[in-house]
Amino acid sequence: MTDKEIISSLIVHDPKVTAQFFFKDCRPLFLSVIRRVFGTQIVDYDEIISELYILLMENDAKKLRSFKFESTLYQWLKTTAIRHCLLLKSKAKVIDDESQEPLNNSHRELSLAESSQARMDMETLLRQMKNQRYALVIRLLMIEDRTPDEVARQLCVTVDNLYNIKRRAILALTKVALKDKKHYER
């Protein structure tokens, strides 16, 4: 595909082109940028890419449409990614916004916090998670039933950005729970 075709496909939110471009074609480029900017600091690739995607696509893809074809798309994207990652690093936060799932359990009749046994089981699983930031998000939103505003302030991210973090946290927790279940079934 040409640069123009890629940009056109991204602007109309073509899922195949978007996935191919951001998670396959540009992966080596983005990994290089992340290593260059963040060094040994551990950052989530998906969070960085989500944030970059948001930057490119916000305001009807204004940033993406600003590409003037004076260089290759990859060269322009490298510069854009470096600048954006430097900004994220200076603010000491990685922001992402992908899922639109509700952040708290206020719509449920019975929360995890109401059951002491469930709470203890959940705490055991949360301690087993590799990414303790994800565990903290689940603990604050779902167990302590904190408001998204409170959690966002505590984590130094916007409320909108908690959606994707929560989604990834739940996926990670599910993996831990399934692994834990297999251990007890033996």
Side-chain angles (χ1 to χ4, degrees):
M1 288 183 93
T2 67
D3 288 350
K4 284 185 181 187
E5 292 170 330
I6 292 170
I7 290 174
S8 296
S9 296
L10 292 174
I11 288 172
V12 298
H13 302 283
D14 181 311
K16 277 187 174 180
V17 172
T18 300
Q20 177 70 32
F21 185 72
F22 283 98
F23 293 95
K24 290 200 170 104
D25 299 345
C26 292
R27 187 174 178 85
L29 169 71
F30 293 144
L31 287 173
S32 171
V33 168
I34 290 168
R35 273 192 301 272
R36 184 179 196 184
V37 173
F38 293 98
T40 58
Q41 181 182 351
I42 297 173
V43 294
D44 187 317
Y45 177 83
D46 290 342
E47 286 185 48
I48 297 289
I49 299 313
S50 293
E51 172 58 23
L52 184 59
Y53 180 78
I54 290 167
L55 171 73
L56 294 173
M57 300 307 290
E58 67 188 354
N59 298 324
D60 193 32
K62 181 179 179 182
K63 185 77 170 174
L64 191 57
R65 292 176 195 271
S66 74
F67 177 60
K68 302 288 186 218
F69 300 96
E70 294 170 351
S71 65
T72 69
L73 177 59
Y74 293 95
Q75 289 170 327
W76 177 83
L77 192 57
K78 179 180 180 180
T79 303
T80 302
I82 289 171
R83 288 179 181 159
H84 197 62
C85 285
L86 286 170
L87 179 66
L88 290 173
K89 185 176 181 181
S90 72
K91 290 182 176 182
K93 61 183 176 181
V94 175
I95 303 172
D96 46 4
D97 177 23
E98 195 172 289
S99 169
Q100 295 301 314
E101 179 181 332
L103 286 173
N104 62 23
N105 295 329
S106 59
H107 63 282
R108 294 183 183 174
E109 291 178 26
L110 180 66
S111 73
L112 291 174
E114 293 176 28
S115 166
S116 61
Q117 182 62 44
R119 186 181 181 124
M120 289 184 339
D121 291 344
M122 181 62 81
E123 284 296 334
T124 300
L125 293 173
L126 291 174
R127 281 193 300 274
Q128 293 176 32
M129 291 177 69
K130 290 180 184 176
N131 188 330
Q132 284 301 299
R133 179 179 181 208
Y134 289 172
L136 179 63
V137 168
I138 291 172
R139 187 176 290 111
L140 295 175
L141 289 171
M142 301 180 81
I143 295 175
E144 295 180 15
D145 209 22
R146 297 243 192 111
T147 67
D149 288 332
E150 290 174 305
V151 176
R153 272 193 303 277
Q154 184 173 343
L155 296 177
C156 298
V157 298
T158 65
V159 173
D160 290 339
N161 297 325
L162 280 176
Y163 288 109
N164 200 35
I165 294 170
K166 181 187 175 200
R167 182 185 59 81
R168 289 197 184 106
I170 290 173
L171 288 173
L173 179 62
T174 301
K175 288 179 184 175
V176 169
L178 290 173
K179 186 177 179 182
D180 191 61
K181 179 183 173 195
K182 288 179 184 174
H183 173 74
Y184 285 106
E185 287 177 342
R186 291 181 194 170

